Structure formats: structure tokens, C-alpha cells
Amino acid sequence: MFWKFDLHTSSHLEALLDKEDVTLSELMDEEDVLQECKAQNRRLLLFLCQDQCMQELVTMITTEPPAGVEETKRFKYPNIACELLTCDVGVINDKLGNEEPLLETLYAFLEQPSPLNPLLASFFSKTIGNLITRKTEQVLNFLRRKEGFLSLVLKHIDTSAMMDVLLRLISCVEPPPLRLETLTWLNEEKLAQRLIELIHPERDEERQSNASQTLCDIIRLSRDQANQLQEISQPDPLLTVLESQESVEQLLQNMFSGERTESCIVNGIQVLLTLLEIRRPVVDGVMDAQGFERSYTVNSSILLAIEPHLRHFHQLLLEPPKRNPMLTTLGVLDEPLGNTRLHVARLVASLLYTSSASHAVVAQELCRLNTMDLLLDLFFKYTWNNFLHLQVELCVAAILRPCTLTETPTSEPSITPENSAHNLMVTHLFQHCHLVQRILEAWEENDKIQSEGGMRRGYMGHLTRIANTVVHNLEKGPVHTQISSLITGLPEDYRGRWETFVDQTLSETNRKNTIDLAFSDYQIQQMTANFVDQFGFNDEEFTDHDDSIGATFDRIAEININIDAGQDSANTAVFEACAKERIQPFDDDEEDIWEEKEINYVNSKAPAAGGGFAAWDTPVSQPAATDAEEKGWAKFTDFQPFCCSETGPRCSSPVDSELSGSDNTKPNQNRKLLKHGYWQKMVK
């Protein structure tokens, strides 16, 4: 322990407190003032809780520092003052929460003109938030007497700290009856409606974004607390208003009124997504609706409000807000996908996963608009936008395995209007969107491009999972009978190609993906185990630094990471399978590298034992350039510089949208493997 050697009998802070004319600034200059306050130093707390000191502390966090003050101290004192006021010491909380003049000084910060100083706003938010938690009744009574409180907070909503003030009032008020009373007060002040009004094209983007985020947080907090506080029978008034058809319609009217700006549409869709409560699954292997964890039933009023505006969202996919061309690694993208169309795709995926009585109306409208066909067009158009690819994949999975249908071991799902709407979507996907034909054609096109030396398409991973979803639900999904009949009804040419694709191409792709993943896991496990075995770190080595440092470096030379090829285990079997998959022998006419040949050096003498070898010496004879070319080895001229031209050489990491990243390109896998004492050449 370092502090056991501290020979000071008393801190300098105690000496300052002994002075009769000590000032607050002198105490705040001491490094340990905050620690002493948290330790409830009695003399320090008595000094700080004086009326003059408390007034000065509150003034520091609510008043702009003088411009002439040294920059290092300009915000030093406000920061320390905020920490002192929020260090959760009872006497300070009591003094600040019970003294109305101090609360008035604190509240006066909201009455300043916009924009607020963001740092001071964070100090104010932290202080008032601490009081809401610790002195709840006193602070709430004070704020409720201020008629313009909510108007002032919303006036400064462009400062993110004001969001925290509202969320504190919603989430940090205890006990539950007092919380319900607070929510009722906020609802009477029309908090939800006023936040929705801020999501409007005429408002600045920062204000729209913060209002949207606040609404999303209110919805999540209200639903979570409703689950935790089961003893309250009355519904949350704010959540009730936000889930009402009137509020959702008002939000949608704001989004599509006047000029359609990306900021307004995206922020509005984020609120809709939160209301729809999609729990995004970890997409792994075959994906279905059971991968979603839905905590709340979607209110049908939300869907009823959205349905008339689906045509507007469809139009946004066709004509999004104008964006400038974008330079990407594959050239200039004249029309980027944009955040608007990505969010519309997310909304469609969320709507398809809803299980509500009003879902049938939404499904029928999506079929009428042919929205899924348009999303598939975008899927293949924006080759490298994996964010979009994921959303389209989710849409297909939602249609093929609808969460509203329930399977039973002995019977088909019961037919209801809602289920028939899903069946309509399934038929639409295969007959009007031509899903099977698109999969086959895109796959064949990719194979052709790769055979000509081109790059693998960026959507191939998602296309593989879409194909697997079709196959999986064809075998045992809730609508497998319908899918089977639709595939049977395909033209004979496509039906034959699909069967061959499933039995051979897709099966082989899945096998390779499984082996590659298992092989990678096996390698990591083996290297980790060998590393631990070789180092064998333990707590004792880290305790005695002088003895362990030298020993640790000595042991580095002993590291020997190997794989026991003779180990009889499932992992070894995977390794052997992958090794056979990847390792191929040299061609018969390849030069035997172990053949003994005469070696000529430039110098007549060979280097002496233990001496250095002149790496830059020129050998007597140089091999012809064609010798290397015949063996298939890479030449330095094969490696081209980075290029963004569409017609230039292939790039290593293509991205063709500000919202996309390619996970498709593979590193050069030509490498050598030492196995059974021989070097062999590994190929892709």
C-alpha cells in the first residue's frame, strides 16, 4: 500500500480551515477537497453548507465564467463545484433541496437565452438530476409550481443535457405512486405531443434528433418499468398517448408535410421502430421469427395509423431525398442508397414481424404496392451495402416464417384473416417477386464474374442465408406446403436448376462455410492452449515483479505452438478435413525442391562457420523470368496500387455507400504449411 508511507499528520486542507479568512476558491484549489467532502469531513461540510458558499457553488455551475479568466481555471471551478454539489452527501443534498433561494438560482439557468453553454448545461442537468433522485418531493413540488418549466426545457432541447432532465423525471422518481403522479403531471403538460411537434421539417436537425431520442427513451423506460412494477394497475399515461393512433398519425403527418428532409424522416422512423418493438436477433445460420424476443404486443392502433402512409414510404424507396454523388473504392456512386431508404427498409422488416389483428391490412398494402420487389431490386443494385442486405434478408425471413402462425405436431396452422395475409405475402414473394429466379440468376452471375477474375459480389453471404431460409422453411416451416406448391409451379427450367442448386451448389457452400468456421475455431483453441501451457502465468508471477520479469522473457524463447496431428478428437478430424480440402500436391512436372543440386557462390570460399551470409551478393547465374512464371508464383508486377476507378484493378476493400462495408473480400490464402516434415503448397 502506497499510502502507508504517508508521513503527513494532517492535510493542508485542515490548515486552510483553521484560517479565519479562508475563501471557497482556496479550498477548491486543494486536490483532496472532493475526497474529504465524500469522506464527510465535518469541518469542511460546515464551511460548504454556509449560505454564502452554497450560493457561490450554484452560481458557478449556472453562470458563464468571465472571459478574462485563465483558460485552465475558467471551467475548473464550475467542474469542482458540480462534483461537490452532486457527491451524494446528505447535508449538502438537504441544504440544496430545502432552500428555495438556491433552487431559484439553479432554475434561473433555464431562463437564459439559447443556445446554452453545453458544459454548464451538463452541470445543471447532473445537479438537478441528483436532487430529483435524493430530494424528490421537494424538487417536484418546486418544479410543478413553475408554469413554464416544461416549455423552457423543450426550448433548450437542442442541448442534449436537457434530454437527461426529462428522463430523470420519468425514471428516477420513487415510490411508484409518486412516479405515477409525476407522469400524470407531464402528460397534462402534453409532453409527448410537444416532443412530436419538434419532429418537423421546419425544425433544425439537432432539435429533431434529440426530440426523437427522448421519445424513444420514454417508450423503452415506460415499458420496462411497467413490467417491473406490476403492483400499479393504472397504465402509464405517457405511453398510452404515444401508442395512440392520433399521436402516430400526427408524427407521420409531420414527416411528410412540406419538403421531405432526410433528418425528419429518419428521426420519425426511429420512433416508429421503437413503438413496433422489434428485438433484433443474432442472425446465425437459418433465421426465423423465433429468433426475435418480443416483450410487448404491438398496439393495433400503431399499424392502423401507418397503413395509409405506406405509399409514401414506398415512394421514398423510389425517390429519396437528393444526395450528392459519392466517391467510393469502386468509383463514383452517382446515387448513394442513403439513410432514408435504409430506414424505410428497417420499417418494412419491423412491420412484417408484427403480430397484430391489423397486420393483414399492412400485408395487403405492401403486396399492392409491390414493395418487396422494389427492396429486392435495391438488394442487387447496391452490391456492397450489407446494411441493406440484412434488412431485405429479415423481410424474406419474416414472410417465410411468420410469427403469427403456430405450428402443431399433427396439424397445419389454422387459417385466419391474419394468416391468409401472410399466405398472400408468401405467394407474392415467389410469383411476383420471383425470389427463386433471382437467387439462381444472381448466383450464376457471381460465378461467371469470379471465373473471369472479378470480385465476389458483396451480397453473396446474405444471399446464401436467404437461400437457406427458403430451403429450411420448405422442409419444416409453418407454410412449407404452400412453399412446396409454389416451387413446384415454377417453369420446368427453373425448377430443375433450383433442385440442382440446392443439392449441389448450396450444399457445398454450406459445407465449406462449416468447415472453415470450425477450422478457425480449432486453430484459435489450439494456439491459446499452447500459449497458456508454455507461459503458465499465475498470480505469484505478477506479485513479485523483480523475480518474474526476467523469468518471463527467458520463457518466451521456449514458446512452441504446435498441433498434435495424432490426437484422436473431433477437432482433429475437422482439421484433417480442412487440410485435405485446402492442401493439394504439386504438379507432377513441378521442380523437386529437395533435389540435391550444385550450389555456386560468387565468392570462391563458402562463409566460415558462424559467419554472416551476404544476402545482397549476386549469384553467378540468374534464373529466367519465365521460370517463375511457369510455376504460378506471384510477381511484384501482379500487385497493383490502390485504385478507385471502376475500370481499374480490383481493390482490396470495396465499399460503395456511406452505410456499407464489404465483408466479402478474402486475404490471399496462398501460403505454405509445414506438415509431416514436408512443405506443400496451399491453394484457395
Side-chain angles (χ1 to χ4, degrees), residues 357-375:
S358 301
H359 177 269
V361 179
V362 173
Q364 291 170 359
E365 181 67 7
L366 289 175
C367 289
R368 188 188 69 81
L369 293 170
N370 208 15
T371 302
M372 271 306 304
D373 191 53
L374 180 54
L375 285 175

Side-chain angles (χ1 to χ4, degrees), residues 529-541:
N530 279 283
F531 183 84
V532 173
D533 290 341
Q534 293 294 336
F535 274 95
F537 286 132
N538 53 51
D539 294 339
E540 295 177 358
E541 291 185 55

